[in-house]
Amino acid sequence: MALEPFHIHVSEEILDDLKNRLHRVRWPDQPHNTGWDRGTERSYLQSLVSYWKDQYDWRAQEAKLNRFSQFRTRIDEIDIHFVYERGKGPNPLPLILTHGWPDSYLRYEKIIPLLTDPVSYGGRAEDAFDVIVPSVPGFGFSSRPARPGINNSRVSDIWVKLMTEELGYEKFAAAGGDIGSGVTRYLAANHPELLYGIHLTDIGIIRALMNAADESGLSEEERRYQQAATAWVAQEGGYMSIQSTRPQTLAYGLSDSPVGLASWILEKLRAWSDCNGDLRQRFTEDELLTHIMIYWVTNTVGSAAEMYYENAHTLPPLGYITVPTALALFKADILPPPREWATRHLNVTRWTSMPRGGHFTAMEEPELMAEDIRAFFRTFRTIRPAQFHG
Protein backbone atom coordinates (compact mmCIF):
# COMPACT_ATOMS: atom_id res chain seq x y z
CA MET A 1 0.00 0.00 0.00
CA ALA A 2 1.04 3.63 -0.41
CA LEU A 3 1.94 5.80 2.54
CA GLU A 4 -1.08 6.41 4.71
CA PRO A 5 -1.25 8.99 7.48
CA PHE A 6 -1.49 7.30 10.86
CA HIS A 7 -3.21 8.60 13.97
CA ILE A 8 -3.10 6.76 17.27
CA HIS A 9 -6.53 6.09 18.72
CA VAL A 10 -6.94 3.20 21.13
CA SER A 11 -10.49 1.97 21.50
CA GLU A 12 -12.45 2.53 24.68
CA GLU A 13 -12.97 -1.22 24.83
CA ILE A 14 -9.21 -1.80 25.25
CA LEU A 15 -8.92 0.93 27.87
CA ASP A 16 -11.95 -0.34 29.82
CA ASP A 17 -10.55 -3.86 29.77
CA LEU A 18 -7.22 -2.55 31.09
CA LYS A 19 -8.96 -0.68 33.92
CA ASN A 20 -10.82 -3.83 34.93
CA ARG A 21 -7.62 -5.86 34.99
CA LEU A 22 -5.82 -3.24 37.09
CA HIS A 23 -8.61 -3.48 39.67
CA ARG A 24 -8.33 -7.28 39.89
CA VAL A 25 -4.62 -7.85 40.51
CA ARG A 26 -3.57 -10.89 42.49
CA TRP A 27 -0.31 -9.82 44.10
CA PRO A 28 2.44 -12.32 44.93
CA ASP A 29 4.32 -12.33 48.23
CA GLN A 30 7.78 -10.83 48.50
CA PRO A 31 10.26 -11.92 51.19
CA HIS A 32 10.96 -9.22 53.79
CA ASN A 33 13.88 -6.84 53.22
CA THR A 34 14.69 -8.11 49.73
CA GLY A 35 14.13 -4.90 47.73
CA TRP A 36 14.88 -5.19 44.00
CA ASP A 37 17.54 -7.89 44.26
CA ARG A 38 15.07 -10.66 43.27
CA GLY A 39 13.24 -8.66 40.64
CA THR A 40 10.70 -5.84 40.55
CA GLU A 41 10.02 -4.59 44.07
CA ARG A 42 6.38 -5.06 45.07
CA SER A 43 5.71 -1.83 46.96
CA TYR A 44 7.11 0.27 44.11
CA LEU A 45 5.01 -1.59 41.56
CA GLN A 46 1.89 -1.31 43.71
CA SER A 47 2.41 2.45 43.96
CA LEU A 48 2.81 2.77 40.18
CA VAL A 49 -0.24 0.62 39.51
CA SER A 50 -2.26 2.80 41.88
CA TYR A 51 -1.21 5.84 39.83
CA TRP A 52 -2.01 3.92 36.63
CA LYS A 53 -5.55 3.20 37.82
CA ASP A 54 -6.42 6.55 39.34
CA GLN A 55 -4.39 9.33 37.71
CA TYR A 56 -2.70 8.26 34.49
CA ASP A 57 -4.42 9.75 31.43
CA TRP A 58 -3.81 7.74 28.26
CA ARG A 59 -5.83 10.13 26.13
CA ALA A 60 -3.54 13.02 27.12
CA GLN A 61 -0.47 10.94 26.25
CA GLU A 62 -2.10 9.81 23.01
CA ALA A 63 -2.67 13.43 21.98
CA LYS A 64 0.96 14.21 22.79
CA LEU A 65 2.19 11.35 20.61
CA ASN A 66 -0.11 12.40 17.77
CA ARG A 67 1.74 15.72 17.49
CA PHE A 68 4.30 13.82 15.43
CA SER A 69 3.65 13.18 11.74
CA GLN A 70 3.08 9.43 11.51
CA PHE A 71 2.45 7.05 8.65
CA ARG A 72 2.00 3.39 7.85
CA THR A 73 2.98 1.51 4.73
CA ARG A 74 3.08 -2.15 3.80
CA ILE A 75 6.49 -3.69 3.06
CA ASP A 76 7.10 -7.43 2.67
CA GLU A 77 3.61 -8.26 4.01
CA ILE A 78 4.17 -6.21 7.19
CA ASP A 79 2.50 -2.89 8.01
CA ILE A 80 5.29 -0.55 9.08
CA HIS A 81 4.47 2.37 11.36
CA PHE A 82 6.89 5.29 11.44
CA VAL A 83 7.29 8.86 12.55
CA TYR A 84 8.43 11.13 9.72
CA GLU A 85 9.42 14.66 10.68
CA ARG A 86 11.00 16.93 8.10
CA GLY A 87 14.02 19.01 9.00
CA LYS A 88 13.95 22.80 9.23
CA GLY A 89 17.11 23.71 7.39
CA PRO A 90 18.56 24.34 3.91
CA ASN A 91 19.28 20.69 3.08
CA PRO A 92 18.29 18.23 5.83
CA LEU A 93 20.11 14.91 5.96
CA PRO A 94 17.77 11.88 6.07
CA LEU A 95 18.30 9.85 9.24
CA ILE A 96 16.59 6.62 10.27
CA LEU A 97 16.62 5.82 14.00
CA THR A 98 15.99 2.25 15.18
CA HIS A 99 14.88 1.43 18.71
CA GLY A 100 15.41 -1.65 20.85
CA TRP A 101 13.78 -3.63 23.66
CA PRO A 102 12.05 -3.13 26.07
CA ASP A 103 11.52 0.34 24.64
CA SER A 104 9.80 1.29 21.37
CA TYR A 105 9.90 4.11 18.87
CA LEU A 106 9.37 6.33 21.93
CA ARG A 107 13.07 5.86 22.70
CA TYR A 108 13.57 8.81 20.33
CA GLU A 109 10.58 10.97 21.27
CA LYS A 110 12.71 13.61 23.02
CA ILE A 111 15.45 13.74 20.42
CA ILE A 112 13.30 14.19 17.29
CA PRO A 113 12.80 17.98 17.67
CA LEU A 114 16.47 18.48 18.57
CA LEU A 115 17.46 16.89 15.26
CA THR A 116 14.77 18.31 12.99
CA ASP A 117 14.86 21.87 14.35
CA PRO A 118 18.33 22.48 15.79
CA VAL A 119 18.03 26.27 15.70
CA SER A 120 15.26 26.19 18.32
CA TYR A 121 17.64 24.32 20.64
CA GLY A 122 20.80 26.37 20.22
CA GLY A 123 22.10 24.60 17.11
CA ARG A 124 22.61 25.46 13.45
CA ALA A 125 20.05 25.16 10.65
CA GLU A 126 22.74 23.40 8.55
CA ASP A 127 22.64 20.49 11.03
CA ALA A 128 18.95 19.67 10.47
CA PHE A 129 17.81 16.14 9.70
CA ASP A 130 14.76 14.58 8.16
CA VAL A 131 14.04 12.08 10.94
CA ILE A 132 12.40 8.72 10.32
CA VAL A 133 11.63 6.57 13.38
CA PRO A 134 9.92 3.27 12.52
CA SER A 135 8.44 0.76 14.91
CA VAL A 136 10.36 -2.49 14.40
CA PRO A 137 8.07 -5.24 13.03
CA GLY A 138 6.29 -6.85 15.97
CA PHE A 139 6.71 -3.73 18.13
CA GLY A 140 4.22 -0.97 18.79
CA PHE A 141 2.07 0.12 15.87
CA SER A 142 3.84 -1.95 13.21
CA SER A 143 2.03 -5.20 12.58
CA ARG A 144 3.02 -8.50 14.14
CA PRO A 145 4.78 -10.74 11.57
CA ALA A 146 2.64 -13.73 10.67
CA ARG A 147 5.64 -15.82 9.65
CA PRO A 148 8.98 -16.50 11.35
CA GLY A 149 12.30 -15.16 10.13
CA ILE A 150 12.14 -11.45 10.96
CA ASN A 151 15.57 -10.77 12.43
CA ASN A 152 17.93 -7.78 12.47
CA SER A 153 19.10 -8.47 8.93
CA ARG A 154 15.58 -8.77 7.52
CA VAL A 155 14.54 -5.58 9.25
CA SER A 156 17.50 -3.78 7.68
CA ASP A 157 16.24 -4.84 4.25
CA ILE A 158 12.78 -3.51 5.08
CA TRP A 159 14.31 -0.21 6.17
CA VAL A 160 16.08 0.08 2.80
CA LYS A 161 12.74 -0.29 1.00
CA LEU A 162 11.16 2.26 3.34
CA MET A 163 13.90 4.82 2.80
CA THR A 164 14.51 4.37 -0.93
CA GLU A 165 11.27 3.09 -2.46
CA GLU A 166 8.69 4.66 -0.15
CA LEU A 167 10.40 7.92 0.81
CA GLY A 168 12.60 8.37 -2.26
CA TYR A 169 16.00 8.93 -0.66
CA GLU A 170 19.06 7.93 -2.67
CA LYS A 171 21.34 7.76 0.37
CA PHE A 172 20.81 8.24 4.09
CA ALA A 173 22.25 8.09 7.60
CA ALA A 174 21.31 5.56 10.27
CA ALA A 175 21.57 5.28 14.04
CA GLY A 176 20.39 2.90 16.74
CA GLY A 177 20.88 1.19 20.06
CA ASP A 178 20.12 -2.25 21.50
CA ILE A 179 18.24 -4.18 18.77
CA GLY A 180 18.48 -0.94 16.82
CA SER A 181 22.26 -1.20 16.91
CA GLY A 182 22.06 -4.65 15.36
CA VAL A 183 19.64 -3.52 12.66
CA THR A 184 21.86 -0.51 11.89
CA ARG A 185 24.99 -2.65 11.62
CA TYR A 186 23.24 -5.02 9.21
CA LEU A 187 22.13 -2.00 7.19
CA ALA A 188 25.78 -1.02 6.90
CA ALA A 189 26.94 -4.55 6.11
CA ASN A 190 24.21 -5.37 3.58
CA HIS A 191 23.79 -1.98 1.91
CA PRO A 192 26.96 0.09 2.41
CA GLU A 193 26.46 2.01 -0.83
CA LEU A 194 23.26 3.56 0.57
CA LEU A 195 24.71 4.89 3.80
CA TYR A 196 26.74 7.96 4.66
CA GLY A 197 27.58 6.62 8.08
CA ILE A 198 26.11 4.89 11.13
CA HIS A 199 25.89 6.09 14.72
CA LEU A 200 25.71 3.48 17.49
CA THR A 201 25.37 3.61 21.25
CA ASP A 202 26.40 -0.02 21.74
CA ILE A 203 27.38 -3.08 19.71
CA GLY A 204 25.48 -5.65 21.71
CA ILE A 205 26.94 -8.53 23.66
CA ILE A 206 30.08 -9.70 21.85
CA ARG A 207 29.49 -13.44 22.02
CA ALA A 208 32.60 -14.38 20.09
CA LEU A 209 34.72 -12.50 22.59
CA MET A 210 32.78 -13.64 25.64
CA ASN A 211 33.02 -17.29 24.61
CA ALA A 212 36.63 -17.21 23.35
CA ALA A 213 38.25 -20.42 24.59
CA ASP A 214 41.84 -19.21 24.19
CA GLU A 215 42.47 -16.14 26.32
CA SER A 216 46.10 -15.92 25.29
CA GLY A 217 45.17 -14.02 22.15
CA LEU A 218 43.09 -11.46 24.04
CA SER A 219 44.28 -8.10 25.25
CA GLU A 220 43.87 -7.08 28.87
CA GLU A 221 40.87 -4.95 27.96
CA GLU A 222 39.29 -7.84 26.08
CA ARG A 223 39.85 -10.20 29.01
CA ARG A 224 38.17 -7.74 31.33
CA TYR A 225 35.25 -7.56 28.94
CA GLN A 226 35.03 -11.35 28.78
CA GLN A 227 34.85 -11.57 32.58
CA ALA A 228 32.32 -8.74 32.86
CA ALA A 229 30.12 -10.14 30.10
CA THR A 230 30.12 -13.63 31.60
CA ALA A 231 29.14 -12.25 35.01
CA TRP A 232 26.49 -9.96 33.52
CA VAL A 233 24.82 -12.71 31.50
CA ALA A 234 24.78 -15.00 34.55
CA GLN A 235 23.20 -12.32 36.76
CA GLU A 236 21.08 -10.31 34.30
CA GLY A 237 20.56 -12.51 31.26
CA GLY A 238 17.53 -14.56 32.32
CA TYR A 239 15.17 -12.43 30.24
CA MET A 240 17.38 -12.99 27.21
CA SER A 241 17.54 -16.76 27.68
CA ILE A 242 13.78 -17.22 27.79
CA GLN A 243 13.03 -14.74 25.00
CA SER A 244 15.65 -16.45 22.81
CA THR A 245 14.31 -19.95 23.47
CA ARG A 246 10.66 -19.92 24.62
CA PRO A 247 9.12 -16.54 23.75
CA GLN A 248 5.70 -18.06 23.15
CA THR A 249 5.52 -19.49 26.67
CA LEU A 250 6.37 -16.09 28.12
CA ALA A 251 3.89 -14.28 25.90
CA TYR A 252 0.77 -15.79 27.47
CA GLY A 253 1.37 -14.33 30.91
CA LEU A 254 2.66 -10.94 29.76
CA SER A 255 -0.16 -10.52 27.21
CA ASP A 256 -2.78 -11.33 29.83
CA SER A 257 -1.55 -9.31 32.81
CA PRO A 258 -0.77 -5.59 32.56
CA VAL A 259 0.94 -5.75 35.96
CA GLY A 260 3.08 -8.67 34.81
CA LEU A 261 4.00 -6.72 31.70
CA ALA A 262 4.87 -3.64 33.74
CA SER A 263 7.05 -5.71 36.07
CA TRP A 264 8.91 -7.26 33.12
CA ILE A 265 9.68 -3.87 31.56
CA LEU A 266 10.30 -1.80 34.69
CA GLU A 267 12.95 -4.11 36.06
CA LYS A 268 15.05 -3.56 32.93
CA LEU A 269 14.44 0.18 32.77
CA ARG A 270 15.74 0.42 36.33
CA ALA A 271 18.69 -1.96 35.90
CA TRP A 272 19.95 -0.49 32.64
CA SER A 273 19.42 3.25 33.10
CA ASP A 274 21.62 5.74 34.91
CA CYS A 275 19.15 6.12 37.78
CA ASN A 276 21.14 4.91 40.82
CA GLY A 277 18.40 2.43 41.62
CA ASP A 278 15.63 5.04 41.62
CA LEU A 279 13.55 5.16 38.43
CA ARG A 280 12.18 8.55 39.43
CA GLN A 281 15.61 10.09 38.84
CA ARG A 282 15.28 9.42 35.12
CA PHE A 283 11.62 8.90 34.25
CA THR A 284 8.29 10.34 35.29
CA GLU A 285 5.43 7.99 36.08
CA ASP A 286 3.71 9.10 32.88
CA GLU A 287 6.81 8.28 30.82
CA LEU A 288 7.12 4.82 32.33
CA LEU A 289 3.46 4.00 31.87
CA THR A 290 3.31 5.30 28.31
CA HIS A 291 6.19 2.99 27.36
CA ILE A 292 4.35 0.10 28.99
CA MET A 293 1.09 1.13 27.34
CA ILE A 294 2.62 0.96 23.86
CA TYR A 295 3.16 -2.77 24.43
CA TRP A 296 -0.20 -3.29 26.13
CA VAL A 297 -2.57 -1.54 23.73
CA THR A 298 -0.91 -3.17 20.70
CA ASN A 299 -0.50 -6.62 22.33
CA THR A 300 3.08 -6.80 21.06
CA VAL A 301 5.05 -8.01 24.06
CA GLY A 302 5.06 -11.54 22.60
CA SER A 303 5.96 -10.55 19.06
CA ALA A 304 8.69 -8.24 20.36
CA ALA A 305 10.21 -11.14 22.31
CA GLU A 306 10.21 -13.17 19.09
CA MET A 307 12.99 -10.91 17.78
CA TYR A 308 15.30 -12.47 20.37
CA TYR A 309 14.44 -15.94 19.14
CA GLU A 310 14.98 -15.00 15.51
CA ASN A 311 18.27 -13.23 16.21
CA ALA A 312 19.49 -16.28 18.13
CA HIS A 313 18.43 -18.83 15.49
CA THR A 314 18.22 -17.25 12.03
CA LEU A 315 20.64 -14.32 11.93
CA PRO A 316 23.48 -14.59 9.40
CA PRO A 317 27.04 -13.76 10.48
CA LEU A 318 28.17 -10.15 10.33
CA GLY A 319 31.46 -9.28 8.65
CA TYR A 320 33.65 -6.19 8.82
CA ILE A 321 31.67 -2.96 8.45
CA THR A 322 33.29 -0.51 6.05
CA VAL A 323 30.77 2.30 6.50
CA PRO A 324 32.11 5.15 8.70
CA THR A 325 30.92 4.46 12.24
CA ALA A 326 30.50 6.57 15.36
CA LEU A 327 30.27 5.00 18.79
CA ALA A 328 28.79 7.09 21.61
CA LEU A 329 29.20 5.13 24.83
CA PHE A 330 27.18 6.31 27.80
CA LYS A 331 28.77 6.04 31.23
CA ALA A 332 26.22 3.74 32.90
CA ASP A 333 25.37 1.58 29.88
CA ILE A 334 25.86 -2.17 30.10
CA LEU A 335 28.99 -3.88 28.76
CA PRO A 336 30.81 -1.15 26.85
CA PRO A 337 32.87 -2.77 24.08
CA PRO A 338 36.67 -2.92 24.10
CA ARG A 339 37.88 -0.20 21.78
CA GLU A 340 40.43 -2.36 19.99
CA TRP A 341 37.82 -5.05 19.27
CA ALA A 342 35.43 -2.43 17.90
CA THR A 343 38.05 -0.93 15.62
CA ARG A 344 38.93 -4.36 14.23
CA HIS A 345 35.31 -5.03 13.25
CA LEU A 346 33.96 -1.61 12.34
CA ASN A 347 35.32 1.42 10.52
CA VAL A 348 35.25 3.55 13.67
CA THR A 349 35.88 7.20 12.85
CA ARG A 350 34.39 8.77 15.99
CA TRP A 351 34.52 7.48 19.58
CA THR A 352 32.76 9.45 22.33
CA SER A 353 32.68 8.62 26.03
CA MET A 354 29.58 10.24 27.46
CA PRO A 355 29.81 11.54 31.05
CA ARG A 356 26.40 10.21 32.10
CA GLY A 357 23.41 8.27 30.86
CA GLY A 358 22.59 4.59 30.57
CA HIS A 359 21.27 2.12 28.02
CA PHE A 360 18.21 4.18 27.06
CA THR A 361 20.39 6.90 25.65
CA ALA A 362 18.03 9.26 23.81
CA MET A 363 15.42 8.90 26.56
CA GLU A 364 17.90 9.72 29.31
CA GLU A 365 20.25 12.26 27.73
CA PRO A 366 18.65 13.59 24.53
CA GLU A 367 20.82 16.70 24.35
CA LEU A 368 24.10 14.76 24.60
CA MET A 369 22.85 12.25 22.05
CA ALA A 370 21.64 14.89 19.60
CA GLU A 371 24.89 16.85 19.73
CA ASP A 372 26.98 13.76 19.05
CA ILE A 373 24.79 12.78 16.09
CA ARG A 374 25.01 16.29 14.68
CA ALA A 375 28.79 16.40 15.08
CA PHE A 376 29.38 13.02 13.45
CA PHE A 377 27.19 13.51 10.41
CA ARG A 378 28.33 17.11 9.83
CA THR A 379 31.27 15.75 7.85
CA PHE A 380 29.05 14.02 5.30
CA ARG A 381 26.90 17.01 4.44
CA THR A 382 29.56 18.47 2.15
CA ILE A 383 29.67 15.36 -0.06
CA ARG A 384 25.97 14.68 -0.56
CA PRO A 385 23.69 15.66 -3.43
CA ALA A 386 22.02 19.04 -3.05
CA GLN A 387 18.44 17.75 -2.98
CA PHE A 388 16.49 14.68 -1.99
CA HIS A 389 12.92 13.78 -2.79
CA GLY A 390 12.00 12.98 0.83
Side-chain angles (χ1 to χ4, degrees), residues 92 111 124 146 220 232 281 297 354 370:
I111 204 175
R124 309 182 314 176
E220 180 60 32
W232 187 90
Q281 289 191 16
V297 301
M354 295 295 187

Side-chain angles (χ1 to χ4, degrees), residues 193-254:
E193 74 285 356
L194 297 178
L195 291 171
Y196 289 108
I198 61 173
H199 185 282
L200 309 173
T201 54
D202 62 75
I203 51 177
I205 298 174
I206 308 171
R207 296 283 182 177
L209 187 54
M210 189 180 82
N211 299 326
D214 182 10
E215 294 187 16
S216 63
L218 303 181
S219 69
E220 180 60 32
E221 185 186 21
E222 289 171 328
R223 282 194 291 271
R224 287 198 301 269
Y225 176 89
Q226 185 184 57
Q227 294 167 1
T230 301
W232 187 90
V233 169
Q235 181 66 26
E236 294 282 345
Y239 80 98
M240 187 166 44
S241 295
I242 192 168
Q243 292 190 165
S244 298
T245 57
R246 299 294 184 270
Q248 187 67 34
T249 300
L250 180 68
Y252 295 110
L254 299 186

Side-chain angles (χ1 to χ4, degrees), residues 67-69 84-94 111-131 169 374 381 384:
R67 290 183 297 181
F68 289 120
S69 297
Y84 184 27
E85 288 287 338
R86 301 298 297 271
K88 298 179 180 179
N91 195 17
L93 191 74
I111 204 175
I112 292 171
L114 304 181
L115 295 175
T116 56
D117 186 15
V119 170
S120 294
Y121 299 91
R124 309 182 314 176
E126 293 78 11
D127 287 335
F129 294 86
D130 287 347
V131 176
Y169 293 111
R374 289 179 198 155
R381 294 178 183 271
R384 60 188 290 258

Side-chain angles (χ1 to χ4, degrees), residues 335-355:
L335 298 177
R339 184 165 186 166
E340 55 199 299
W341 189 94
T343 56
R344 287 201 308 271
H345 292 81
L346 302 101
N347 179 18
V348 177
T349 61
R350 181 179 176 87
W351 183 281
T352 309
S353 296
M354 295 295 187

Side-chain angles (χ1 to χ4, degrees), residues 229-298:
T230 301
W232 187 90
V233 169
Q235 181 66 26
E236 294 282 345
Y239 80 98
M240 187 166 44
S241 295
I242 192 168
Q243 292 190 165
S244 298
T245 57
R246 299 294 184 270
Q248 187 67 34
T249 300
L250 180 68
Y252 295 110
L254 299 186
S255 297
D256 190 57
S257 169
V259 173
L261 172 65
S263 174
W264 193 247
I265 291 176
L266 288 168
E267 194 265 320
K268 297 310 174 195
L269 289 174
R270 177 183 177 273
W272 300 349
S273 64
D274 189 10
C275 72
N276 296 313
D278 182 3
L279 278 163
R280 295 178 183 90
Q281 289 191 16
R282 282 291 173 180
F283 310 106
T284 67
E285 290 170 316
D286 282 348
E287 285 177 319
L288 293 171
L289 289 171
T290 300
H291 281 278
I292 293 164
M293 285 288 286
I294 294 295
Y295 282 91
W296 181 259
V297 301
T298 59

